[in-house]
Amino acid sequence: MAPAADQEDAFFLPKKPTRDTLQSSLYLKPKPRSVGATTGGMQTRRILTNPPLARGPQSNEDSTTRRDAVTHGRGTITTKRHESTAKRVFQGASVFDAVDVDSNASDTGSDDPKLPTGDEYLEALKHLRLDDPSGSRFVYLKRLVLSQTHHDPYALITIEFADLGGGDEYYTMSALGITHFAKGRDAEFTSAQRWLRERALFTQTRSLSTFKRFRTWKGFVTWRTVVRRTKMKRASLVLEKNLFQLDVSLASAATEVRAACHALSSARLSSVTPGGLRTLEEFSNEAETRRVEMLERLEAFSKHTIQVVDKACASALAATERRLRDFFGAGESAPSTSFAVDDDATAKTAGSAALLEYSYTVTATRRTEQRRLVSFVKQLDYVIRDTLRFVLHDSVTDVLAATRQCPVGKFETPPPPFRQRLTHLWAQLGFTRMATAVNRNQRAQNARGGKAKSAETTRRLRELVREAMRENEYRKKEARLNSFAPTHPTLPNFRLKLEVKDNALCFVPNAETFQSAIQRVVRDFAHTLASVRRLPGDERLMSKMRDAFAADAGADAGDIGAGTTLHELQTDVTHLSLCDEVNRALRFGFAFAREYRTHYESFRLMAVSNRAIDLFEMVSKYRNGQIPLDEFRRKQITWMDQETRLQDLRVAQNVGIVQIDSTEFRDATTPSPIGKIAEMRETLPKLARDAYAEFIAEIHDATAKLSTRLDAAQELCDRMRFVQHLREGHMDVLTKRAEECAALYALVREFSFAVTDASAAEFATSEKDFNLLKTVLEDAEGTQEEKISLFASELEDRIKEVNREARELVKAASDETILDPDSGREKVEKLLRDLTLRAESTTAESQKINTIQVTFGSCETVFDVLKEAAADVALKVAAWAGDGAFDADVLVWAKTVFDKIDVPRMTDKMGGYVKLSARLEKGLAPNKMAQRFAAKVEDYKNLLPVINALLNTSMKQRHWDKVAALIGVPIVRDDFFTLQKILDLKAPAHGEAIGLVSTEATQEQALEEMLHKVVAKWADVCFQVVPYKESKDTFMLGGIEEISIALEDSMVTMSTIMSSRFVKGIRETVEKVEVQLSLFGETLDEWLAVQKNWMYLETIFSAPDIQRQLPNEAKQFFAVDKQFRDVMRKTRENDNALRAGTTPGYLQSFQNANEALDKIQKNLEEYLETKRMAFPRFYFLSNDELLEILAQTKKVQAVQPHMSKCFDGIKALDFGSDPKSVDIFAMVSPEGETVGLGKNLKARGNVEQWLCAVETAMIDSLRKQSKTSYLSYPKETRTEWVLNQPAQVVIMVSQIYWCRGVVAALGAKDVTGAMSTYLAKNRADLKDMTVVVRGQLTGLHRKIIAALITIDVHARDIVEELFTEKTQSANDFKWQMQLRYYWDEEIDLCSVSQTNSSFEYAYEYLGAQSRLVVTPMTDRCYMTLTGAMHLKLGGAPAGPA
């Protein structure tokens, strides 16, 4: 306990700021503290100390009261100033104490006698009043808290003084009364009588309902008020702290930054506008200029925004420092240190105990303010980034507006760049004009008289007017054809030059380059905008918030705006979408320009075609007769038309967003036709001159030949042949040439080509010269017979001379030295050369004589001696030449390296030598020369088989070793191994054996080639691995037909190879390949089996429901599945069939997999069998259909497609409108009839269970419906009753009542009358149904009534038959044979009877099926089947109804 002086001094000490005070003034968020923690601000000092009261004498009640008051209140008398201060302090303390007491108090009930009730002190008061009525003794009391909601100020409990523990509130009780002591208040004494009275009144008042609930109500209202006030105050503080608009400096900065962003948002990165034409260079320069301007503007924007934000942040931090200075400046111990924004001295201040004590609070305050500024910077950074996005979007949108001015589907194709012509119409008009002109001239010639001529003139004028009108109409059509007025006009933006490069049309720059440049510029928009310096990236600005980043471990200024501006702009969804639209628009625009470029292709091909035309070649072809003269006319007209079309070509053609500039193209193409026209201007006149010169020269030469004097028989012969040549057609040729010369000159005049006067004058004399030739020709033909007789004697002398020379030649060729091999070769060859020359000259003379004889028309002389002599000389020359050539070849072959011998050439030459030897033997007399040559040739011919055998390309080293073994000498095949060496080794002696070795090598080579083909084939045979059900990581083998065929062919080939007797040398290799193919075949079979079973089971076990129901089988399948998927994945990576199929372990793996899959399938069949046994109607479904249902047990709708197979009359079940509903409301027939299934029918549990429930519900529902309909039938009219019942029930109940009516009629006294009456009723019912069916009915009701009418007709026929045959009893067979329906009233069931058979109605739902007409055959079938069923047999009706 502190003394009173200390307590009073406490009121004058400077008040220390608490953490709560700093929070409210500096926007600090309160941090949770551990229980029991104290701070300097929360420490309080005791101001009042209440020592235990001493006992003393009391004179009377008043003095005692005053004494007690003074005694009890000792030390509590203070000045008003001290009292107000202490009251303020202790009120706060009492609140906390009360809270602590309430929180620790337990709810004490009065039911437990051991617990205090707060009334026990009254017994103590009673004893005090009895024992010490003077009040000298007293006891200490303390308030008893019974519960937190139950406040009773009169519930007290006695305690010891030691248990007070410095309590703030307690009581003392003496015989005189009770004194209440409370901290901060004067002691209050209440007499005992008054205390007891007030207690009694309090107890009675509290028993009232209002006051009984007052505490609870007041606590709730107080709590709600406090909570609302606290939340409002906290929200107000948060708004004041976080709303930057409430901060003047930050608000002005934000406004200024937004104004700068608004100004920047109007900027555009491109100046592309619709209709602004520009080339690529202009576009690039313009884009670069705009980019530089934008970079400068963005840099200025960055500097301005950073400067504004930096200034605002500095101002805010300075304001915070001022608040700190103001707060700590009050009092002597306030810190005197300057609080600058960048001053780090705060943490180092010495000599200030208060500053050191609150340094954490100061640092936290600064850090909080810096965090607030970080949020401010982040908010403005968001604004700037949004502005950049807007600028980017608007810029790209401008480009899109220029590149896509109209929808793609509405773009209209402009006409070609040249004028389109209606050629066929103009041709038709020209032909009509020509025909009309011919008719007009003919009519004018036939017109006689003035009236006829006047009528002809009028008709002519009308024809001319019609022609003019048609011409005007054609011109209008051409104008419409060439006009272009699009609904959605598009202005061009980009200019492309059209040029020809590398014999192809191209744009300069090409469209792809232009398009890429535009796309690059659009992409650079983001790079340009990314040059803006972000606020978090400014070091100077962010350095002001370094404490905030330092406090957050790992935080950085860059974390404020995660991601770069460039990345944000490039990945912006809207920007990407706009870029895609721009790219699509550019692709369409430039693609259409490329497509439109084909219109210019005709002009390029025209230039190419013109370059390919060589007029000199045309002239040459014309002279050779390959082309007509008209070809020159067509070419000239074509070139003139080309020149006109090029002059009319539109050089600036707008094609969507592109303008095609074809100026250079036209300038480059125009010289082509102009040059050809100029060339034709030179060539055609020259051709005419040359043709005339040749023609007139030939005319003059022919005239000279026919006019020359003849001096010899040969000259006469030549003239006669020339005359014959002229008469046999050459004169016609000359006539045609004369006409062609005239046509050439006419063509020259047609195109006004220049011709010299001299040429024109020469051409004018051509006709005179040609007539002179004809005259001379006739004279020459008249003198031929006279000239022939004149030269006959000369011809006889020449014949005699030739015969004499022939005899001398025979004599000279018979010299024996010529065929003597020992004669000198040079001498003989010189002699043979002389003889050959003599033979050739004599033969030529004989041929001339024969020619003259043929010309003169006499018989030809045969010179036999001369022919024999010439043949003999030629044969002898060949003998000596062949002998020399053979010796030279043998010498060359002997020195040639053996492997380099050209065997085919050697064989050809040897064949020639053999033929020559045979000719010599046949054509010459026996002589040594021929015999020796034949012997040499024969010897060398026998060597050829050995050479061929040894030079066989199939010979391997093992075969050469066999040959060496045959010869007995090792063979070294090097550069010195020549043919001569083979001869020296006497290899020809072993020719037959060597041939066998060569044959063996050839056969082995053939087998090796077959084997190589097999191996090579499988090197290229690959599996076709395809995705399984569009999966990306699961594959399967595709078509293997080609692989199977290849395997079969290969196995056949291997069998052929193995069965050959020449396989010995390669058997090991062949067996290796055969084993590999066999392994592949077995593996492939197992592989395909696994794949087939896997594909079947994969769909089944991929369903979670199947996995749950068959866990063991699913586990086995997924093991195989993993293995199969791995194999297929590896096969896809290495798809060579043979390599994959012979992978080690695959065969055994597939065999094991097949065994596992077979076992799984067997278990699956057993599982399905259990399901079918549980619901036998599942036997109507295939395994796949049943598995489809079982795989989707949670999806009850999966059973719908299969309901018609399980239930013949149910197409679907009605689950309501909710697709996830499991409530089954009704069954629906294929005809659309809906029949309810009752309530509480749900598709839960296993599918076979709830389907069994559906079956039961179907039967129960039909039974109930049948009973209801049975009972309602007599109460309603039949026509109305039919429309309210299911079709099946209608037939059944109707038949029940019909049966009942027939039985009643048969049981009546007057059976005939009753039957007649019932027959009339049947007919009336049928008539009523006929009336109903003719009215407005739904399709379902029409089907129901149609079926009922069918049955009613049969029923009427039966009644009519019973009436006709006078049936008198229900036991007659005529009635017993009918199919009868009865209702059992006791069990409410329908039964069906026929003859002696009776069955309960099965209530299987049949729907609203149509009924066929019931015939006597039908009745017999019914009777047969019911009889069989009665005998526990069955039936299978077949055939038509």
Side-chain angles (χ1 to χ4, degrees), residues 810-822:
V810 171
K811 182 178 179 181
S814 300
D815 191 352
E816 296 180 357
T817 59
I818 294 177
L819 296 177
D820 187 0
D822 296 331

PDB file of all heavy atoms in Angstrom, residues 810-822:
ATOM      1  N   VAL A 810      37.825 -58.897-162.960  1.00  0.00           N
ATOM      2  CA  VAL A 810      37.748 -60.293-162.516  1.00  0.00           C
ATOM      3  C   VAL A 810      39.110 -60.958-162.601  1.00  0.00           C
ATOM      4  O   VAL A 810      39.547 -61.699-161.724  1.00  0.00           O
ATOM      5  CB  VAL A 810      36.713 -61.062-163.346  1.00  0.00           C
ATOM      6  CG1 VAL A 810      36.782 -62.559-163.054  1.00  0.00           C
ATOM      7  CG2 VAL A 810      35.311 -60.544-163.062  1.00  0.00           C
ATOM      8  N   LYS A 811      39.818 -60.682-163.677  1.00  0.00           N
ATOM      9  CA  LYS A 811      41.135 -61.273-163.871  1.00  0.00           C
ATOM     10  C   LYS A 811      42.105 -60.800-162.804  1.00  0.00           C
ATOM     11  O   LYS A 811      42.874 -61.585-162.241  1.00  0.00           O
ATOM     12  CB  LYS A 811      41.631 -60.905-165.274  1.00  0.00           C
ATOM     13  CG  LYS A 811      42.984 -61.511-165.602  1.00  0.00           C
ATOM     14  CD  LYS A 811      43.397 -61.138-167.018  1.00  0.00           C
ATOM     15  CE  LYS A 811      44.775 -61.736-167.360  1.00  0.00           C
ATOM     16  NZ  LYS A 811      45.215 -61.376-168.724  1.00  0.00           N
ATOM     17  N   ALA A 812      42.082 -59.499-162.486  1.00  0.00           N
ATOM     18  CA  ALA A 812      43.003 -58.957-161.489  1.00  0.00           C
ATOM     19  C   ALA A 812      42.691 -59.506-160.098  1.00  0.00           C
ATOM     20  O   ALA A 812      43.600 -59.746-159.291  1.00  0.00           O
ATOM     21  CB  ALA A 812      42.916 -57.433-161.484  1.00  0.00           C
ATOM     22  N   ALA A 813      41.391 -59.720-159.766  1.00  0.00           N
ATOM     23  CA  ALA A 813      41.016 -60.207-158.444  1.00  0.00           C
ATOM     24  C   ALA A 813      41.318 -61.672-158.243  1.00  0.00           C
ATOM     25  O   ALA A 813      41.290 -62.165-157.104  1.00  0.00           O
ATOM     26  CB  ALA A 813      39.523 -59.960-158.217  1.00  0.00           C
ATOM     27  N   SER A 814      41.659 -62.403-159.310  1.00  0.00           N
ATOM     28  CA  SER A 814      41.936 -63.829-159.190  1.00  0.00           C
ATOM     29  C   SER A 814      43.380 -64.105-158.841  1.00  0.00           C
ATOM     30  O   SER A 814      43.826 -65.271-158.839  1.00  0.00           O
ATOM     31  CB  SER A 814      41.573 -64.536-160.509  1.00  0.00           C
ATOM     32  OG  SER A 814      40.207 -64.344-160.790  1.00  0.00           O
ATOM     33  N   ASP A 815      44.168 -63.146-158.528  1.00  0.00           N
ATOM     34  CA  ASP A 815      45.581 -63.312-158.181  1.00  0.00           C
ATOM     35  C   ASP A 815      45.686 -64.128-156.892  1.00  0.00           C
ATOM     36  O   ASP A 815      45.021 -63.827-155.880  1.00  0.00           O
ATOM     37  CB  ASP A 815      46.232 -61.934-158.007  1.00  0.00           C
ATOM     38  CG  ASP A 815      47.758 -62.047-157.912  1.00  0.00           C
ATOM     39  OD1 ASP A 815      48.274 -63.174-157.821  1.00  0.00           O
ATOM     40  OD2 ASP A 815      48.408 -60.979-157.882  1.00  0.00           O
ATOM     41  N   GLU A 816      46.550 -65.240-156.884  1.00  0.00           N
ATOM     42  CA  GLU A 816      46.683 -66.148-155.753  1.00  0.00           C
ATOM     43  C   GLU A 816      47.357 -65.503-154.544  1.00  0.00           C
ATOM     44  O   GLU A 816      47.156 -65.941-153.405  1.00  0.00           O
ATOM     45  CB  GLU A 816      47.473 -67.390-156.175  1.00  0.00           C
ATOM     46  CG  GLU A 816      46.771 -68.220-157.226  1.00  0.00           C
ATOM     47  CD  GLU A 816      47.579 -69.458-157.621  1.00  0.00           C
ATOM     48  OE1 GLU A 816      48.709 -69.564-157.082  1.00  0.00           O
ATOM     49  OE2 GLU A 816      47.068 -70.268-158.388  1.00  0.00           O
ATOM     50  N   THR A 817      48.112 -64.498-154.771  1.00  0.00           N
ATOM     51  CA  THR A 817      48.820 -63.867-153.643  1.00  0.00           C
ATOM     52  C   THR A 817      47.849 -63.186-152.678  1.00  0.00           C
ATOM     53  O   THR A 817      48.173 -62.964-151.510  1.00  0.00           O
ATOM     54  CB  THR A 817      49.825 -62.836-154.168  1.00  0.00           C
ATOM     55  OG1 THR A 817      49.121 -61.844-154.941  1.00  0.00           O
ATOM     56  CG2 THR A 817      50.869 -63.499-155.048  1.00  0.00           C
ATOM     57  N   ILE A 818      46.665 -62.872-153.187  1.00  0.00           N
ATOM     58  CA  ILE A 818      45.705 -62.162-152.323  1.00  0.00           C
ATOM     59  C   ILE A 818      45.253 -63.055-151.177  1.00  0.00           C
ATOM     60  O   ILE A 818      45.094 -62.604-150.033  1.00  0.00           O
ATOM     61  CB  ILE A 818      44.504 -61.700-153.160  1.00  0.00           C
ATOM     62  CG1 ILE A 818      44.943 -60.660-154.173  1.00  0.00           C
ATOM     63  CG2 ILE A 818      43.386 -61.137-152.261  1.00  0.00           C
ATOM     64  CD1 ILE A 818      43.848 -60.200-155.105  1.00  0.00           C
ATOM     65  N   LEU A 819      45.052 -64.366-151.410  1.00  0.00           N
ATOM     66  CA  LEU A 819      44.577 -65.278-150.375  1.00  0.00           C
ATOM     67  C   LEU A 819      45.696 -66.077-149.740  1.00  0.00           C
ATOM     68  O   LEU A 819      45.442 -67.071-149.051  1.00  0.00           O
ATOM     69  CB  LEU A 819      43.530 -66.214-150.965  1.00  0.00           C
ATOM     70  CG  LEU A 819      42.241 -65.548-151.451  1.00  0.00           C
ATOM     71  CD1 LEU A 819      41.321 -66.560-152.063  1.00  0.00           C
ATOM     72  CD2 LEU A 819      41.541 -64.821-150.308  1.00  0.00           C
ATOM     73  N   ASP A 820      46.931 -65.708-149.966  1.00  0.00           N
ATOM     74  CA  ASP A 820      48.088 -66.389-149.376  1.00  0.00           C
ATOM     75  C   ASP A 820      48.441 -65.682-148.068  1.00  0.00           C
ATOM     76  O   ASP A 820      48.806 -64.503-148.082  1.00  0.00           O
ATOM     77  CB  ASP A 820      49.263 -66.361-150.338  1.00  0.00           C
ATOM     78  CG  ASP A 820      50.423 -67.222-149.811  1.00  0.00           C
ATOM     79  OD1 ASP A 820      50.261 -67.813-148.703  1.00  0.00           O
ATOM     80  OD2 ASP A 820      51.453 -67.246-150.469  1.00  0.00           O
ATOM     81  N   PRO A 821      48.325 -66.371-146.908  1.00  0.00           N
ATOM     82  CA  PRO A 821      48.616 -65.693-145.634  1.00  0.00           C
ATOM     83  C   PRO A 821      50.076 -65.319-145.489  1.00  0.00           C
ATOM     84  O   PRO A 821      50.406 -64.464-144.660  1.00  0.00           O
ATOM     85  CB  PRO A 821      48.212 -66.736-144.589  1.00  0.00           C
ATOM     86  CG  PRO A 821      48.229 -68.039-145.268  1.00  0.00           C
ATOM     87  CD  PRO A 821      47.888 -67.776-146.703  1.00  0.00           C
ATOM     88  N   ASP A 822      50.911 -65.935-146.292  1.00  0.00           N
ATOM     89  CA  ASP A 822      52.328 -65.604-146.181  1.00  0.00           C
ATOM     90  C   ASP A 822      52.696 -64.371-146.982  1.00  0.00           C
ATOM     91  O   ASP A 822      53.834 -63.882-146.888  1.00  0.00           O
ATOM     92  CB  ASP A 822      53.161 -66.807-146.660  1.00  0.00           C
ATOM     93  CG  ASP A 822      52.948 -68.032-145.767  1.00  0.00           C
ATOM     94  OD1 ASP A 822      52.649 -67.801-144.547  1.00  0.00           O
ATOM     95  OD2 ASP A 822      53.027 -69.151-146.254  1.00  0.00           O
TER      96      ASP A 822
END
